[in-house]
Amino acid sequence: MSLIKNNKGNIRKTLDWLSEEIKPSFDLVYKPLHIDDKHAELLYIKTVVDGAQLQQLVIKPFFELGNDRHVEAYLNSLPNLQDIEAKEQILLELTKGSVIVAIRNQLLLLDLKRVKSDSVLETMIEPTIQGPQLSLSEDIATNINLIRQRYHKPSLKVETMDIGEKTHLTLAILYDEEVVLNEVLDSIKNKLKSIKPQTVQSTMELNRLLNDKKRSLMPIMMMTERTDRVVYNLAGGKVILLLDGSHTTVLAPAVFFDFMSSMDDKYGSYWITKFLKLLRYFGLFACLILPGLYVAATSYNPEVFRVELALSVAGSRIGVPYPSFIEVLFLLVFMELLTEASIRLPKAVTGTATTVGGLILGQAATEAALASNIMIIIVGAVAISTFVIPINEMSFAIRVVRFILLAFSSFAGLAGLLFGLIGLLMYLAQLDSFGEPYFKIYLQSKRTETERTST
């Protein structure tokens, strides 16, 4: 619906103002259409407008219909028509891919944007064996379509807003009205309204902006690229945030146990699922304590080992010229460098570079007596254990916590390691995600059924 109408002078002033605001831009197009007694004017930015749609939906019908009243009625019937509230809104929509049509003293705004990022991608961050292999795209409309195809409930609500004072990207808030926690939903909406970033380009940046504790180590919101995980969390009463231009979503609230669950847990048999979960938590525990335990046992408390094992560890460190703390720190930092290099390098050389680098430098370090053989084994076990954590945000946080526990072990041995673990548990216990305790166990199906019966 147009609010700028019935006044030819106002329409001309609006078109001139829009042209002046966008100029100088080579892709700004002003195109008058005229035949017999029919006349219309088009204003659009050609690099963001779908030319085929413009030709098919606007230009061709203009020349085929009998008079301009028919053309106006036809354009007003299109589903692409947008409401006009102010000149500033028209200017913003033009930059997004809308077309201004001036006809019969009326301005019409049609959404004909060209989308090049709507292809559905394969899962790269969260692969599964049995589950769906396609993830989300970078187009918000495509992502909403993918979610609605898997979640056929009228109670699924989709609200949109613009975020970023300069980028004005579309942000969609999805939730199931029947099971969502209203306090969490209100808290998220209030935070979204309160933040005023200049630019927002990714869901990771949005995740950081929504976190009140800017220097918090542990993640309180989960990011995922999988539509099946989105659907399971919608059914569990969580809020989903979709940002245009990003192929990952934000799920809130998120608790500790959410970050340790894989979508394969939903598809596997009972005992296999339990075994894999147990293996995952064992990997988490090993990743956290092995470096600190090695330092504590070799430098402070060798009596915790059997005599044969203690002698074997001590023998492997013969010739190492510095304390075990420096040895562990050196290899852990080197392992982090290899991990970071594997992320940054081109895919064609990632595997070769990291494998060769790890093997050659690891072997050279042991032959030069810069590290013990047992330490190489421990670092390898720690590296493998790190990657069993399904969600990257938690994996990155655990990698940092590992160094903190190593510092405690270096100062006070096993007592320091135990004190660090207790401190970590206390820190996690006091965390919350939008009012939900961080150690809360989410039983989604039971919780959903309970809420339904109570309502």
Side-chain angles (χ1 to χ4, degrees):
M1 179 180 178
S2 174
L3 299 182
I4 304 173
K5 58 183 180 179
N6 300 328
N7 190 321
K8 191 172 184 178
N10 285 344
I11 290 177
R12 173 48 51 196
K13 289 180 181 178
T14 301
L15 292 176
D16 292 341
W17 178 81
L18 292 170
S19 300
E20 288 299 323
E21 288 293 318
I22 297 176
K23 286 181 179 178
S25 292
F26 80 96
D27 52 355
L28 178 65
V29 176
Y30 169 74
K31 182 181 290 294
L33 304 178
H34 184 76
I35 183 173
D36 297 333
D37 58 347
K38 292 188 296 182
H39 182 76
E41 298 172 82
L42 305 181
L43 185 68
Y44 60 94
I45 300 175
K46 65 180 181 180
T47 51
V48 290
V49 167
D50 189 335
Q53 281 197 71
L54 178 62
Q55 174 69 25
Q56 189 68 27
L57 295 180
V58 179
I59 298 177
K60 185 178 179 181
F62 174 82
F63 291 102
E64 291 179 346
L65 295 175
N67 54 57
D68 53 3
R69 286 192 304 106
H70 293 168
V71 177
E72 180 187 16
Y74 163 76
L75 293 176
N76 276 293
S77 69
L78 291 176
N80 311 66
L81 187 66
Q82 298 174 280
D83 290 340
I84 297 178
E85 299 177 357
K87 293 192 300 182
E88 291 74 14
Q89 180 230 349
I90 301 177
L91 183 61
L92 178 61
E93 294 300 331
L94 274 177
T95 63
K96 292 183 177 181
S98 293
V99 176
I100 293 290
V101 182
I103 186 171
R104 284 178 54 84
N105 296 333
Q106 183 176 2
L107 279 185
L108 301 176
L109 185 63
L110 298 175
D111 181 10
L112 301 177
K113 63 174 172 287
R114 176 190 299 168
V115 179
K116 293 294 186 181
S117 58
D118 58 348
S119 57
V120 181
L121 307 174
E122 290 190 8
T123 54
M124 297 181 294
I125 304 174
E126 303 172 70
T128 61
I129 299 175
Q130 301 294 336
Q133 301 302 312
L134 295 179
S135 65
L136 298 171
S137 74
E138 294 186 0
D139 177 58
I140 191 170
T142 304
N143 291 340
I144 295 174
N145 172 269
L146 292 172
I147 293 171
R148 282 195 177 276
Q149 285 182 355
R150 290 179 175 271
Y151 199 80
H152 301 149
K153 284 205 67 179
S155 57
L156 175 60
K157 305 300 179 184
V158 181
E159 301 179 17
T160 60
M161 60 181 292
D162 285 345
I163 189 167
E165 295 183 355
K166 292 185 177 180
T167 52
H168 292 283
L169 291 181
T170 302
L171 175 69
I173 307 172
L174 286 75
Y175 58 91
D176 190 331
E177 192 177 32
E178 291 183 358
V179 296
V180 70
L181 297 174
N182 292 323
E183 298 81 4
V184 173
L185 179 61
D186 294 339
S187 176
I188 292 175
K189 287 182 178 180
N190 292 334
K191 287 184 178 180
L192 287 172
K193 292 177 182 177
S194 64
I195 59 176
K196 302 292 182 182
Q198 293 293 311
T199 60
V200 177
Q201 293 295 306
S202 70
T203 49
M204 189 65 186
E205 189 177 0
L206 180 65
N207 191 338
R208 177 178 56 82
L209 291 170
L210 288 175
N211 193 345
D212 288 334
K213 299 177 180 178
K214 301 301 181 184
R215 298 183 180 180
S216 175
L217 178 60
M218 309 303 290
I220 62 170
M221 287 167 281
M222 184 191 302
M223 294 198 309
T224 183
E225 62 175 354
R226 300 190 61 88
T227 52
D228 51 353
R229 189 185 287 274
V230 170
V231 168
Y232 275 111
N233 282 275
L234 275 174
K238 297 188 181 182
V239 180
I240 314 298
L241 302 179
L242 291 174
L243 183 67
D244 197 12
S246 181
H247 80 288
T248 57
T249 68
V250 176
L251 313 180
V255 297
F256 178 80
F257 301 102
D258 291 333
F259 294 98
M260 296 300 296
S261 64
S262 169
M263 289 312 300
D264 279 324
D265 298 340
K266 302 290 184 181
Y267 307 128
S269 61
Y270 179 82
W271 288 112
I272 293 177
T273 297
K274 295 302 179 185
F275 171 74
L276 292 177
K277 282 186 176 180
L278 180 63
L279 196 63
R280 217 171 288 143
Y281 281 101
F282 174 78
L284 171 67
F285 192 66
C287 170
L288 281 174
I289 70 165
L290 277 181
L293 182 62
Y294 176 82
V295 172
T298 55
S299 300
Y300 290 90
N301 308 98
E303 68 276 4
V304 299
F305 291 151
R306 293 182 58 183
V307 175
E308 295 85 354
L309 182 57
L311 291 175
S312 176
V313 172
S316 69
R317 295 199 74 251
I318 293 176
V320 178
Y322 36 70
S324 58
F325 165 71
I326 302 297
E327 176 189 8
V328 174
L329 184 62
F330 165 71
L331 287 178
L332 285 182
V333 170
F334 175 68
M335 185 188 69
E336 294 296 332
L337 290 174
L338 278 177
T339 304
E340 188 68 13
S342 67
I343 297 174
R344 307 300 168 200
L345 284 172
K347 292 182 179 179
V349 298
T350 296
T352 303
T354 54
T355 302
V356 171
L359 289 175
I360 292 178
L361 292 180
Q363 183 179 1
T366 55
E367 291 180 354
L370 297 178
S372 64
N373 292 323
I374 292 180
M375 189 61 239
I376 297 296
I377 296 173
I378 290 177
V379 168
V382 167
I384 295 171
S385 300
T386 302
F387 299 124
V388 302
I389 301 174
I391 305 299
N392 282 335
E393 291 78 31
M394 180 59 70
S395 177
F396 292 149
I398 294 301
R399 285 160 61 182
V400 177
V401 172
R402 186 170 60 211
F403 285 96
I404 298 175
L405 294 179
L406 176 62
F408 276 94
S409 301
S410 302
F411 283 113
L414 286 179
L417 178 61
L418 183 60
F419 179 77
L421 287 173
I422 294 173
L424 175 63
L425 290 175
M426 293 174 63
Y427 170 71
L428 294 177
Q430 60 87 33
L431 283 180
D432 67 88
S433 176
F434 297 95
E436 295 295 300
Y438 204 60
F439 273 155
K440 180 176 182 179
I441 301 177
Y442 267 44
L443 299 177
Q444 294 183 345
S445 58
K446 293 183 179 179
R447 177 169 169 266
T448 304
E449 186 66 29
T450 303
E451 289 193 2
R452 286 178 179 174
T453 54
S454 63
T455 54

